[in-house]
Amino acid sequence: VYKSSSPPEMLPNYSLIDIPVHFVFGRSDGIIPPSNVIKHYEALARYHPENAKITEFVDAGHLEFTIGLTDDHISRI
């Protein structure tokens, strides 16, 4: 919400999401912890498992998503 002092809490609102969401994360990400991405995936999967997908990039960090990845980085969990 614009001009608020903190971001909105998303986890309680995942029941409202009715479109497919594919979460991706790098196991070596030092900026966004993998556990945060997994937490959001699990929250959506609890309400809409048919719309929740997740892919882990085992040898990738945050920068690899900017410069590109090859198939050898991908591990589906």
Side-chain angles (χ1 to χ4, degrees):
V1 178
Y2 291 108
K3 297 184 182 181
S4 64
S5 60
S6 62
E9 181 62 38
M10 294 303 300
L11 293 175
N13 295 311
Y14 272 113
S15 63
L16 303 174
I17 299 173
D18 61 356
I19 60 171
V21 178
H22 194 139
F23 297 88
V24 295
F25 67 97
R27 182 55 66 183
S28 301
D29 195 327
I31 297 174
I32 300 174
S35 60
N36 286 4
V37 179
I38 294 168
K39 182 185 226 180
H40 285 273
Y41 161 75
E42 289 173 346
L44 179 60
R46 192 173 311 126
Y47 295 105
H48 300 288
E50 72 283 0
N51 287 337
K53 305 289 184 249
I54 190 166
T55 300
E56 173 187 13
F57 292 84
V58 292
D59 295 324
H62 206 82
L63 184 58
E64 281 81 7
F65 288 101
T66 304
I67 60 175
L69 294 166
T70 60
D71 286 343
D72 59 330
H73 288 92
I74 300 172
S75 171
R76 292 189 171 53
I77 62 171

